[in-house]
Amino acid sequence: MKQGYILQQLFLLLSITFLLAFVKSCENRKSPSPNPAQILSLKTKANSFLPGQPDSAILYADSGLVLCRTLHLASDSSIRFLNIKVTAFKAMAMFDSAVSNLDRVHSIAIGISDSLLQAKSSLDLGELLLNGENVQLSEKYLIEAKNLYESTLKLPISENQLPIISYQLGRAYNLYGFWLRNKGDYKLSQELYLKALAIFQKLDKPKAISAICINIGSNYSATGSFPDAIAYYRLGLQAAKQSNDTVNMIGVYRNIGVFYRNSQPDSSLFYYNLVQNLNKNSNSRQPDVITSFNMANIYADKKDYNTALRLYIEVLKYCTTINNPRGIINAMSGMATVYSSIGKPKEAIDCNKRALFLADSIKEIPLSVELMNELQTIYKDHGQFRDALLLSEKAKRLNDSILSLNKQVAIHELDIQYQSEKKTQENIYLKSELTYQSKISKYRFYFITALFLVSIILLFGLWRRHKLYQSREIAYKVLMSKYTKESELRIKNPEPELISYEIPNETESLTDELSLLSHQLIHYYNTEKPYFNPTLKIEDVSAKLNIPQRTIAALLKKHHNSNFNAFTNRFRAEEAKQLMESEKYKNYTIEAIARDAGFGSRQSFYNSFELHTGIKPSYYRNYIARNSTSSEIAL
């Protein structure tokens, strides 16, 4: 019986083995071996899709890479497909993916010891990273490319390869010089730029000459060598004209315009006009926004406010069309300055507030602080000191957040520096065979130093936070003194009080249709109190008042600089203030008061109340409660 069981198990094992072999043979018959001719076909198709359909080119390139691995082909085929993917990803502005595929090419080049391919991939990687977010990482690849090309030129090479390698070395000098310039090392940057210029002049490459001359001129301008800067700008202009390169001609004229900006504004305007004429003659559909903005600034300095305003409006229209938030903000800031200078504070404040709102929406905190400072100046110039004070407090809070962000960046940079030093120490340890205890002691020193620095930064942050709380308490007390007086007036006059709503932007008389409708809307809110409905929509108000929704939205925007939800929540916030002061609601929770005031959610109530009053609801209620208790004791 035991032998029968063993035979049964052996038979089952043999059956499974035969079944697996049969399935494998069927798969082999269904999937014929790939033909090397398919590689050429896929490469042709990928290249054909590259100009207009980069995503399709990527699909064919990926299929080609799979075939290369299946056929165990040489690395050349894989490199061609990877380069196709790099070009496609660049066209799709997917630079991280382009860097990833270029890095694969770089690794293959190192693996097959192809120094020229390694140099080219390093140079392309450095250029991509230099124009992206990983600027620091680009230095390694640019230095590698520069050293490899310099080493190759010392070897015997063919006459056909010499100009190609020399041109690539010029590119490496130019890009690494640009990296050094951004770092602030103008001296070494200029040396590399001049080396690149010598190579391009020897190769007679006018387009490259004009580009490098612009960089050299900008370096001289930054270091105060103005005659040298002008000399190279003119040399670059000559090369640009020789190659009929409109882009570089525009670049030269624009840089010369910047050069003369402060010393000779009329000369600056002359070169800016040349830029605009070249741009028009090139049939470009896109105006030169930078030039127009710079010209507007010069005209504003010259007190030619009409011309300045016209140029600012042109910049604003174009930047709005292409959805360029920073351009819109700069144009509106310039318009605000012009309006303030010609005695139109309302228009100036409106432009600045719109710019500030946009800066807040894209989370450009430093730009928001700058705009707030400009708005404070406008307020002070036109006697609106209370608004200037309130804005000053908000700017101070934003400044503190910038300091906090800078601290985080500093800590991050310290961490990067620490990691870099750690790797360097490890390499030194391996080369010089340092003892284990020596390495531990060094790391302990770095760790204690880093810990000490972090502690200092944290203590400084806590001190700044304490100062912020003190400033906030002062601001709260100023505001609460006003609200307390309002509360006392309401207690003395128990009659129901209508909630007022100012119309800050009204410039026409009450005969204006929107103004009349605005007062009708406010009257409806005060008498009918529709805001008690937490699900109130603009459609409901439109139907009740027989006013189109579009008209309501327009009058809210024009006369109240608001939207429907913000307008309604302001009435609810005002109602909540009165409920908090009521003896009936003394033991109610804040959430219950929010519901009775018409708010649909706790978060909406907190946000709207603080926006309307400048104070958190809990602080307001506690302050009112303490004040009323003190009054009772006094009585």
Side-chain angles (χ1 to χ4, degrees), residues 21-51:
F22 175 76
V23 170
K24 187 70 176 177
S25 64
C26 290
E27 288 178 352
N28 290 336
R29 281 195 292 270
K30 288 181 180 177
S31 304
S33 298
N35 191 335
Q38 292 178 266
I39 298 290
L40 181 60
S41 174
L42 287 171
K43 201 177 299 177
T44 304
K45 288 182 178 178
N47 280 315
S48 67
F49 282 112
L50 203 51

mmCIF file of all heavy atoms in Angstrom, residues 21-51:
data_model
loop_
_atom_site.group_PDB
_atom_site.id
_atom_site.type_symbol
_atom_site.label_atom_id
_atom_site.label_comp_id
_atom_site.label_asym_id
_atom_site.label_seq_id
_atom_site.Cartn_x
_atom_site.Cartn_y
_atom_site.Cartn_z
ATOM 1 N N ALA A 21 6.255 21.488 -19.952
ATOM 2 C CA ALA A 21 7.058 21.455 -21.179
ATOM 3 C C ALA A 21 6.195 21.744 -22.400
ATOM 4 O O ALA A 21 6.608 22.455 -23.336
ATOM 5 C CB ALA A 21 7.731 20.089 -21.325
ATOM 6 N N PHE A 22 4.950 21.234 -22.404
ATOM 7 C CA PHE A 22 4.043 21.461 -23.533
ATOM 8 C C PHE A 22 3.660 22.951 -23.630
ATOM 9 O O PHE A 22 3.641 23.540 -24.723
ATOM 10 C CB PHE A 22 2.790 20.589 -23.345
ATOM 11 C CG PHE A 22 1.728 20.833 -24.386
ATOM 12 C CD1 PHE A 22 1.864 20.320 -25.667
ATOM 13 C CD2 PHE A 22 0.606 21.579 -24.096
ATOM 14 C CE1 PHE A 22 0.909 20.543 -26.636
ATOM 15 C CE2 PHE A 22 -0.357 21.816 -25.053
ATOM 16 C CZ PHE A 22 -0.216 21.289 -26.335
ATOM 17 N N VAL A 23 3.345 23.563 -22.453
ATOM 18 C CA VAL A 23 2.981 24.986 -22.444
ATOM 19 C C VAL A 23 4.138 25.825 -22.941
ATOM 20 O O VAL A 23 3.958 26.782 -23.719
ATOM 21 C CB VAL A 23 2.559 25.413 -21.023
ATOM 22 C CG1 VAL A 23 2.407 26.928 -20.934
ATOM 23 C CG2 VAL A 23 1.258 24.734 -20.621
ATOM 24 N N LYS A 24 5.384 25.494 -22.531
ATOM 25 C CA LYS A 24 6.560 26.256 -22.954
ATOM 26 C C LYS A 24 6.770 26.171 -24.452
ATOM 27 O O LYS A 24 7.070 27.178 -25.122
ATOM 28 C CB LYS A 24 7.792 25.738 -22.204
ATOM 29 C CG LYS A 24 9.058 26.548 -22.431
ATOM 30 C CD LYS A 24 8.947 27.896 -21.776
ATOM 31 C CE LYS A 24 10.233 28.690 -21.911
ATOM 32 N NZ LYS A 24 10.131 30.034 -21.339
ATOM 33 N N SER A 25 6.542 24.980 -25.007
ATOM 34 C CA SER A 25 6.720 24.810 -26.457
ATOM 35 C C SER A 25 5.678 25.586 -27.234
ATOM 36 O O SER A 25 5.952 26.147 -28.296
ATOM 37 C CB SER A 25 6.662 23.322 -26.834
ATOM 38 O OG SER A 25 5.366 22.795 -26.538
ATOM 39 N N CYS A 26 4.446 25.655 -26.681
ATOM 40 C CA CYS A 26 3.388 26.442 -27.339
ATOM 41 C C CYS A 26 3.742 27.926 -27.334
ATOM 42 O O CYS A 26 3.543 28.625 -28.326
ATOM 43 C CB CYS A 26 2.044 26.223 -26.632
ATOM 44 S SG CYS A 26 1.374 24.571 -26.875
ATOM 45 N N GLU A 27 4.306 28.404 -26.217
ATOM 46 C CA GLU A 27 4.692 29.816 -26.141
ATOM 47 C C GLU A 27 5.799 30.123 -27.138
ATOM 48 O O GLU A 27 5.793 31.188 -27.776
ATOM 49 C CB GLU A 27 5.175 30.155 -24.730
ATOM 50 C CG GLU A 27 4.048 30.207 -23.719
ATOM 51 C CD GLU A 27 4.560 30.500 -22.314
ATOM 52 O OE1 GLU A 27 5.802 30.501 -22.138
ATOM 53 O OE2 GLU A 27 3.731 30.722 -21.428
ATOM 54 N N ASN A 28 6.726 29.195 -27.297
ATOM 55 C CA ASN A 28 7.818 29.433 -28.246
ATOM 56 C C ASN A 28 7.318 29.486 -29.683
ATOM 57 O O ASN A 28 7.813 30.252 -30.500
ATOM 58 C CB ASN A 28 8.877 28.345 -28.117
ATOM 59 C CG ASN A 28 9.647 28.459 -26.795
ATOM 60 O OD1 ASN A 28 9.703 29.521 -26.224
ATOM 61 N ND2 ASN A 28 10.201 27.345 -26.317
ATOM 62 N N ARG A 29 6.291 28.660 -29.993
ATOM 63 C CA ARG A 29 5.744 28.687 -31.346
ATOM 64 C C ARG A 29 4.950 29.966 -31.600
ATOM 65 O O ARG A 29 4.933 30.502 -32.703
ATOM 66 C CB ARG A 29 4.843 27.459 -31.566
ATOM 67 C CG ARG A 29 5.608 26.178 -31.849
ATOM 68 C CD ARG A 29 4.681 25.122 -32.410
ATOM 69 N NE ARG A 29 3.715 24.668 -31.423
ATOM 70 C CZ ARG A 29 3.937 23.651 -30.599
ATOM 71 N NH1 ARG A 29 5.091 23.013 -30.614
ATOM 72 N NH2 ARG A 29 3.021 23.286 -29.736
ATOM 73 N N LYS A 30 4.281 30.480 -30.542
ATOM 74 C CA LYS A 30 3.484 31.704 -30.706
ATOM 75 C C LYS A 30 4.358 32.945 -30.791
ATOM 76 O O LYS A 30 3.976 33.929 -31.395
ATOM 77 C CB LYS A 30 2.512 31.854 -29.518
ATOM 78 C CG LYS A 30 1.378 30.856 -29.548
ATOM 79 C CD LYS A 30 0.464 31.084 -28.362
ATOM 80 C CE LYS A 30 -0.678 30.092 -28.357
ATOM 81 N NZ LYS A 30 -1.546 30.250 -27.180
ATOM 82 N N SER A 31 5.530 32.946 -30.133
ATOM 83 C CA SER A 31 6.381 34.131 -30.092
ATOM 84 C C SER A 31 7.664 33.879 -30.857
ATOM 85 O O SER A 31 8.640 33.364 -30.308
ATOM 86 C CB SER A 31 6.734 34.491 -28.633
ATOM 87 O OG SER A 31 5.561 34.669 -27.887
ATOM 88 N N PRO A 32 7.684 34.189 -32.151
ATOM 89 C CA PRO A 32 8.880 33.978 -32.942
ATOM 90 C C PRO A 32 10.007 34.909 -32.478
ATOM 91 O O PRO A 32 9.766 35.965 -31.919
ATOM 92 C CB PRO A 32 8.433 34.347 -34.367
ATOM 93 C CG PRO A 32 7.290 35.257 -34.184
ATOM 94 C CD PRO A 32 6.606 34.801 -32.938
ATOM 95 N N SER A 33 11.251 34.506 -32.690
ATOM 96 C CA SER A 33 12.410 35.296 -32.301
ATOM 97 C C SER A 33 12.413 36.614 -33.051
ATOM 98 O O SER A 33 12.148 36.668 -34.251
ATOM 99 C CB SER A 33 13.698 34.519 -32.617
ATOM 100 O OG SER A 33 13.722 33.324 -31.873
ATOM 101 N N PRO A 34 12.701 37.729 -32.352
ATOM 102 C CA PRO A 34 12.713 39.032 -33.019
ATOM 103 C C PRO A 34 13.830 39.123 -34.041
ATOM 104 O O PRO A 34 14.910 38.568 -33.861
ATOM 105 C CB PRO A 34 12.948 40.001 -31.861
ATOM 106 C CG PRO A 34 13.544 39.188 -30.769
ATOM 107 C CD PRO A 34 13.017 37.819 -30.923
ATOM 108 N N ASN A 35 13.533 39.831 -35.101
ATOM 109 C CA ASN A 35 14.472 40.016 -36.207
ATOM 110 C C ASN A 35 15.197 41.341 -36.040
ATOM 111 O O ASN A 35 14.577 42.352 -35.749
ATOM 112 C CB ASN A 35 13.679 40.009 -37.530
ATOM 113 C CG ASN A 35 14.608 39.939 -38.722
ATOM 114 O OD1 ASN A 35 15.752 40.344 -38.648
ATOM 115 N ND2 ASN A 35 14.101 39.408 -39.814
ATOM 116 N N PRO A 36 16.553 41.382 -36.234
ATOM 117 C CA PRO A 36 17.276 42.659 -36.114
ATOM 118 C C PRO A 36 16.728 43.743 -37.025
ATOM 119 O O PRO A 36 16.897 44.933 -36.745
ATOM 120 C CB PRO A 36 18.707 42.279 -36.497
ATOM 121 C CG PRO A 36 18.810 40.821 -36.159
ATOM 122 C CD PRO A 36 17.467 40.246 -36.448
ATOM 123 N N ALA A 37 16.045 43.327 -38.139
ATOM 124 C CA ALA A 37 15.474 44.337 -39.043
ATOM 125 C C ALA A 37 14.381 45.142 -38.338
ATOM 126 O O ALA A 37 14.099 46.286 -38.721
ATOM 127 C CB ALA A 37 14.907 43.668 -40.283
ATOM 128 N N GLN A 38 13.750 44.543 -37.312
ATOM 129 C CA GLN A 38 12.715 45.258 -36.564
ATOM 130 C C GLN A 38 13.302 46.468 -35.825
ATOM 131 O O GLN A 38 12.620 47.463 -35.601
ATOM 132 C CB GLN A 38 12.050 44.315 -35.559
ATOM 133 C CG GLN A 38 11.216 43.217 -36.204
ATOM 134 C CD GLN A 38 10.635 42.298 -35.157
ATOM 135 O OE1 GLN A 38 11.207 41.272 -34.830
ATOM 136 N NE2 GLN A 38 9.498 42.677 -34.626
ATOM 137 N N ILE A 39 14.580 46.351 -35.439
ATOM 138 C CA ILE A 39 15.237 47.464 -34.746
ATOM 139 C C ILE A 39 15.251 48.699 -35.639
ATOM 140 O O ILE A 39 14.892 49.811 -35.221
ATOM 141 C CB ILE A 39 16.674 47.078 -34.357
ATOM 142 C CG1 ILE A 39 16.667 45.897 -33.387
ATOM 143 C CG2 ILE A 39 17.409 48.266 -33.755
ATOM 144 C CD1 ILE A 39 16.152 46.229 -32.026
ATOM 145 N N LEU A 40 15.654 48.524 -36.891
ATOM 146 C CA LEU A 40 15.725 49.637 -37.842
ATOM 147 C C LEU A 40 14.345 50.221 -38.082
ATOM 148 O O LEU A 40 14.168 51.440 -38.156
ATOM 149 C CB LEU A 40 16.342 49.163 -39.159
ATOM 150 C CG LEU A 40 16.503 50.222 -40.249
ATOM 151 C CD1 LEU A 40 17.408 51.350 -39.767
ATOM 152 C CD2 LEU A 40 17.073 49.597 -41.515
ATOM 153 N N SER A 41 13.326 49.332 -38.194
ATOM 154 C CA SER A 41 11.958 49.790 -38.422
ATOM 155 C C SER A 41 11.456 50.637 -37.248
ATOM 156 O O SER A 41 10.872 51.713 -37.436
ATOM 157 C CB SER A 41 11.037 48.596 -38.630
ATOM 158 O OG SER A 41 9.693 49.002 -38.715
ATOM 159 N N LEU A 42 11.706 50.165 -36.015
ATOM 160 C CA LEU A 42 11.271 50.908 -34.839
ATOM 161 C C LEU A 42 11.993 52.250 -34.728
ATOM 162 O O LEU A 42 11.409 53.267 -34.352
ATOM 163 C CB LEU A 42 11.525 50.081 -33.576
ATOM 164 C CG LEU A 42 10.593 48.887 -33.359
ATOM 165 C CD1 LEU A 42 11.089 48.025 -32.208
ATOM 166 C CD2 LEU A 42 9.175 49.364 -33.065
ATOM 167 N N LYS A 43 13.274 52.266 -35.075
ATOM 168 C CA LYS A 43 14.055 53.494 -35.015
ATOM 169 C C LYS A 43 13.517 54.527 -36.007
ATOM 170 O O LYS A 43 13.393 55.719 -35.702
ATOM 171 C CB LYS A 43 15.516 53.165 -35.319
ATOM 172 C CG LYS A 43 16.517 54.193 -34.819
ATOM 173 C CD LYS A 43 17.935 53.729 -35.100
ATOM 174 C CE LYS A 43 18.218 52.432 -34.374
ATOM 175 N NZ LYS A 43 19.550 51.904 -34.655
ATOM 176 N N THR A 44 13.173 54.041 -37.223
ATOM 177 C CA THR A 44 12.635 54.937 -38.254
ATOM 178 C C THR A 44 11.298 55.520 -37.808
ATOM 179 O O THR A 44 11.038 56.721 -37.963
ATOM 180 C CB THR A 44 12.469 54.171 -39.577
ATOM 181 O OG1 THR A 44 13.722 53.607 -39.945
ATOM 182 C CG2 THR A 44 11.989 55.100 -40.677
ATOM 183 N N LYS A 45 10.423 54.648 -37.258
ATOM 184 C CA LYS A 45 9.113 55.119 -36.803
ATOM 185 C C LYS A 45 9.244 56.110 -35.645
ATOM 186 O O LYS A 45 8.557 57.138 -35.601
ATOM 187 C CB LYS A 45 8.253 53.938 -36.382
ATOM 188 C CG LYS A 45 7.757 53.095 -37.556
ATOM 189 C CD LYS A 45 6.874 51.961 -37.076
ATOM 190 C CE LYS A 45 6.342 51.140 -38.249
ATOM 191 N NZ LYS A 45 5.509 50.006 -37.801
ATOM 192 N N ALA A 46 10.148 55.818 -34.699
ATOM 193 C CA ALA A 46 10.334 56.717 -33.559
ATOM 194 C C ALA A 46 10.806 58.089 -34.024
ATOM 195 O O ALA A 46 10.309 59.122 -33.565
ATOM 196 C CB ALA A 46 11.334 56.109 -32.578
ATOM 197 N N ASN A 47 11.749 58.101 -34.966
ATOM 198 C CA ASN A 47 12.251 59.380 -35.485
ATOM 199 C C ASN A 47 11.182 60.141 -36.258
ATOM 200 O O ASN A 47 11.133 61.374 -36.230
ATOM 201 C CB ASN A 47 13.466 59.149 -36.380
ATOM 202 C CG ASN A 47 14.739 58.951 -35.579
ATOM 203 O OD1 ASN A 47 15.001 59.678 -34.635
ATOM 204 N ND2 ASN A 47 15.524 57.940 -35.927
ATOM 205 N N SER A 48 10.309 59.404 -36.967
ATOM 206 C CA SER A 48 9.256 60.066 -37.750
ATOM 207 C C SER A 48 8.231 60.751 -36.851
ATOM 208 O O SER A 48 7.642 61.766 -37.214
ATOM 209 C CB SER A 48 8.559 59.045 -38.661
ATOM 210 O OG SER A 48 7.836 58.102 -37.893
ATOM 211 N N PHE A 49 7.995 60.194 -35.660
ATOM 212 C CA PHE A 49 7.024 60.792 -34.729
ATOM 213 C C PHE A 49 7.648 61.887 -33.858
ATOM 214 O O PHE A 49 6.927 62.635 -33.192
ATOM 215 C CB PHE A 49 6.439 59.713 -33.800
ATOM 216 C CG PHE A 49 5.374 58.870 -34.446
ATOM 217 C CD1 PHE A 49 5.592 57.532 -34.713
ATOM 218 C CD2 PHE A 49 4.152 59.425 -34.796
ATOM 219 C CE1 PHE A 49 4.619 56.747 -35.305
ATOM 220 C CE2 PHE A 49 3.164 58.648 -35.391
ATOM 221 C CZ PHE A 49 3.397 57.303 -35.653
ATOM 222 N N LEU A 50 8.977 61.972 -33.871
ATOM 223 C CA LEU A 50 9.673 62.859 -32.943
ATOM 224 C C LEU A 50 9.270 64.325 -33.058
ATOM 225 O O LEU A 50 9.047 64.988 -32.045
ATOM 226 C CB LEU A 50 11.187 62.711 -33.127
ATOM 227 C CG LEU A 50 12.053 63.118 -31.944
ATOM 228 C CD1 LEU A 50 11.581 62.444 -30.667
ATOM 229 C CD2 LEU A 50 13.507 62.776 -32.218
ATOM 230 N N PRO A 51 9.125 64.903 -34.273
ATOM 231 C CA PRO A 51 8.829 66.343 -34.324
ATOM 232 C C PRO A 51 7.473 66.725 -33.736
ATOM 233 O O PRO A 51 7.373 67.648 -32.945
ATOM 234 C CB PRO A 51 8.891 66.671 -35.822
ATOM 235 C CG PRO A 51 9.640 65.542 -36.447
ATOM 236 C CD PRO A 51 9.331 64.342 -35.624
#
